[in-house]
Structure formats: C-alpha cells, structure tokens
Amino acid sequence: MNITQSIISGRDRALIGGDYSNYHTQSTRRIHTIRKRLGVTTPKGRKYTPKGPITPQDVAKNAEWVHLLLTSAERAWADAMHMKSSQSPENTQKPMPGATKRQIVSRFRRAIAYAANLVEVLEDQSTTNATNQDVLEAKAYMALLKGGLDFERNRWSSCIRHYSFIRLVYTALASQARSDLYRDLLEGTIDPSIRYAAYQEKLPRTKAVSDIAIENFPSEETQSRQDILNADASAFRTSAEEATAQSEGATDLPTSLDWRGRRVKLEDASISQALAAASAKETAIAQTYTSFQNGSTSAKDLAAGYDDIVNARQDAADATKIVIDELLAEGAGAGDSRIQGLQVTRTAVNYAVIAWRIGRNRVLCGDSDGLKLESHRPRRVQKDSKAANSKSLKEEPTGRKIARLREKVALYDSILQNLEAVKQLPGVIADTTFMDELDSKGAYFRALKCLAIGRSHAINGQVRNALALFARAQNLSQKVTSQAEASDVPKSDISATQLQAVQNYLTSLTLQYQALADLTSHSSKHSSQTKQYAPPLLERLHLNQYDDNVDLKNIVNYPPKLQPIPMKPLFFDLAWDYIQYPGQQATPLTTSTTTTSATATEEPKQAQAEEAPKKRGWFGFGR
C-alpha cells in the first residue's frame, strides 16, 4: 500500500508551494473526491451525520477506504500544524493562548483516532490481504502522531517511547528499501526528536540514539518486534554488541593501507572496522553495477549504493580524525611517526570518499559520462476524439531538454568542486604528479560541461555560440592524459577508451557546427544583398504602423512614375438616368414639344398633387 510513501509525497507536494493551510485545503478536496468515488457523500439539503468506523470488510471491497483514513488523519494533522505555526511565539511575539493549545491537542487526537482505525483494519490480514510491512507502516504512522502529541504536551518519556518504535521500524525497512525515504525521515525528524526528548529527560548525551531507541522500545509490541527482526536481524543489536561482533571477526580487518606507493599500518581498530565495512559495500555495488548495465537497475538505485559507500568511507575518515585529535591532545608532535601515518591514512580515506562521490555523479550524468544527449521516448497523444485508435508521437519539449542539460551542468560543477577539495588534503599540494593528474581530470569534466552548455545553445538555434563552446570543449579534451585502466565501477579515474571516445565525438561535432556556421554566414550575406521592394512612406501612412528606423530616402517616389489611381468611373453617373424601379413611371428622354405642353396643361393639378418619387442614396439621403 506504500503508506509512508503516499504520506511523505503528499506533504512534500503541498508544502513546496504553500503552508499547512494549503495542505489542509488539498486534503479536504481529496476527501470529497474519494467519498464521491465510494458513494458515501452526504446529499445536499440533509443534515450532516457522523460517520461510523471503517471495517475490514469495507477495505476488502475497495482499497480507497485506506486512502480515506490516511487523508482524514493528514487533514487533522495539517490543521494542528497550521495553528501551531501561525500562533507560535516566533510569529506573534506573544505566548500561545491556552485555547489554541487545546485546539491543537484536539486535532492531534482526531488524527490519532483515524490512524488507530487504520491499524485496526489492517491487522485483520486475512480479510484485507495486508502484508506485515503494511501493518508496521500503519503502526509507525500512528506512533508518529502520538509522538507529536506528546511533544506538544511535554510528555518526554512517552515521546521517546513512541519515536523509538518509529526509529526501529524505519531502520528495518530502510535496510530492504532502495530509496532514501526512510533514511531522510530518520535523519530529519525522528533522530532529532529522540535526541531533544532525551535531553529533556537528562539522559547522557554520549549515548547513541540507536541504543536509546532499543532501550525504550514498547514492551507490549511483541508482534511488531518479531516483524522487525524478520526484516532486519540486527535491528535490536546495540553498539556494544556490534563492536563485540566486529572484534570477533577481526581476522578479516585490514591491517595496512596503500597510498601512492606508500604503505602505512592501521593500528586503530575503529579505522580498520570502518574500512572493512566500506570494502564489503564496494563488493556489493559491483553486482549492482552489472545489473545496471543490463538494464534491470535504475541509475537512482545505483546512486543509492554509492551513497552507502560514501557514508562508510566517511565513517573511516571521522574515525581517523578522532584518533589524530586524541594523539595531539596527549602531546604527540607533528613529527611523530604515528601522526604522519595517520595523516597519510586521512588523505587516502578522504580521497576515497571524494572519488566515490565523483563516481556517483558520473553515473547520474548518463551513459559515457553524459557524452551524448539521451533521447527520451516520446509520448503518444490522441489527436482526435473520433479516431480513438489514431495516436501520434509528440516530441519532447525544448524546455525539458534544456532542463536535463542544466541538471548535467550542476553534476559537472559538483565534480569540479570535489576535485578542488582534493587539493586541500594534507600532502597533496607537494605531489606534483598527482596535481597534474587532478588538473587533467578537471579539464576532462570542464570539456563535458562546455559540451552540455553548447548543446543548450544549439537547441535554441544559436549556432555560433554552440560552435565556440564545442571548440573550447575540444581544446580542453586535448589536454587530458589518461593514466588509468577501465575500472569495473566508475569512480574518479578516466580510462583511455573513455577519453578517446570523448575526443572523437567532440572533433566530429566541432566540424559539423563549423559547416553549419559557414552555411548560416553565407545565407545571411545573400539575404542582405538581396534588397526587397519597400513602398514609400507616403503610401504606408494609412497602415498605422510604427517604424523605428524611417528611411528618409524613401518618403515619396521621385521622380514620379506613371501609375493608376483608383477613382469612381463616369459610367455610374450616366447609367443612373436609365435605371427604373418598380412603381416609377418611365420618363423618355426625347419627346416632342407638343406632347409635352399638352400633358402639362392637361393635368397641371395632378402633377402638383403627386410629385414623382425621388431616388435617394444608399443611406437615406440625397443623391
């Protein structure tokens, strides 16, 4: 059911563009939508009636009831957090009113009631077909709400108990999950809350958070304890037991470390244990990388494996620094052989951390370090509703292409920053050969960065800018010297095969855009030489157009040319006298004087009484 995933993703989407009030509004709309799909909305005009608890039979018929419970609990939680943030003393500069505190507690209790109903429903696994992980996530969500309520009411002992349950559940689930969802929750919310509550309870600050969680795990959760152990057998192992287990396998711990032709002994057990753990994770990522090449593993999952190695290597670096600080505190000088050996170890371990970070970013850049622009599969769009089966392919928009290139540039910048950080390590600046190697690697990744930026200009049709960047990338790639063989898992080393592929590709791309720029230059010259006829300004005054640069040599045609002028033909005036309309008597143009005078004397009164109708124009006025 992915309970935790749906909750965290919903919160992140709502809180990115707004506050808790926005999340409350979105949850209300979603509840209404779910109720409409389930057919349990209250009809208009009827009084609201309280809803009964949801049963396992309801969930067995439709899983939307689970989403309804989760969304209802989240709406109550968002309402409580909105009141807490808006009435906090940091915003109002006043103590929070007691009525507001009671409202916050009331909303938390309402959210807990929905979460308890969800746990009760999912525990009937035979009816709802819920898995053990679903039940664990539902209980962890309810414990998260209860811990938040205890935090608001300053009940620190109960708060530690609830957050300890959450930590052990998420730690066990994180050992099986490939995403960083549970780790982010532990580092951002759970561990700080346990540490603050332990401080309020005056527990020793030297005690690890994991040990506090194990000691305060609720004793009544026997079934949950068994499910956690099934997910992670070492979940309830304290730090002392972990150290004992590691000391039993001390025969597999490394005893020495090699760094650029120099070998130093590892005399501290904590450093050896951290390096052994990192080596085990490095062995595991080799298999993951093989599946990544086959297409069965995504780049994000492979990057998560890199993160595990980086964390393990960082533990070794921290252990080395602690040992150095302890020796310096005891009075050991910089010339002591132990200090010098530890400094070499510190440089080697820190370089390994940076190398794995660079490898992670190279994997995220794409195939061949992002050398070629990946073409995403175009999505199908339906063009006409009448033809339901006729669908056309829609090309990826330009904005998305440029956005992916921007992400690559950010990864290259991170790699270059890591290479600069290597130069700050002890003893590196004096190794000229190693410094030249770092400069060569920097030139390689700067060339790829110029390539990505040049592609963005090429997409926008700026051929000259793209050519300049491609030429710069080609010059940088010529300065790179490969001094390493192709490794199984990408790190910071550049193989000869990769370098040759980049140089060949940049050479062909530069030649291609040189030709395009040459064609563009010739076409622009030809268009500038071919002058188009522009009518004079006098003939364009009726167009009501604004001209930035008026050509003062093209105001009128001079010398004037013979040309036709539109005018009304004389034929229209002559034909007017020959037109006869219905009801009008014909008046001949040629009649004798006798006939005319006789008619005039015979009916003078009639002619005066009835005047002949006059022809008027189109709009009712005279001719």
Side-chain angles (χ1 to χ4, degrees), residues 14 49 159 185 251 347 359 367 379 408 453 538 577:
T49 55
C159 180
L185 277 172
T251 55
T347 301
D367 191 17
R379 61 186 182 91
K408 285 187 178 181
I453 299 175
L538 185 64
D577 296 332

Side-chain angles (χ1 to χ4, degrees), residues 120-138:
E120 182 182 357
V121 167
L122 295 182
E123 281 183 339
D124 191 356
Q125 300 182 17
S126 60
T127 305
T128 60
N129 295 325
T131 62
N132 293 334
Q133 181 175 345
D134 295 334
V135 177
L136 279 178
E137 290 189 5

Side-chain angles (χ1 to χ4, degrees), residues 173-187:
L173 295 179
S175 62
Q176 296 180 343
R178 294 181 177 179
S179 63
D180 295 335
L181 173 66
Y182 302 109
R183 296 186 183 92
D184 294 341
L185 277 172
L186 291 173
E187 295 175 1

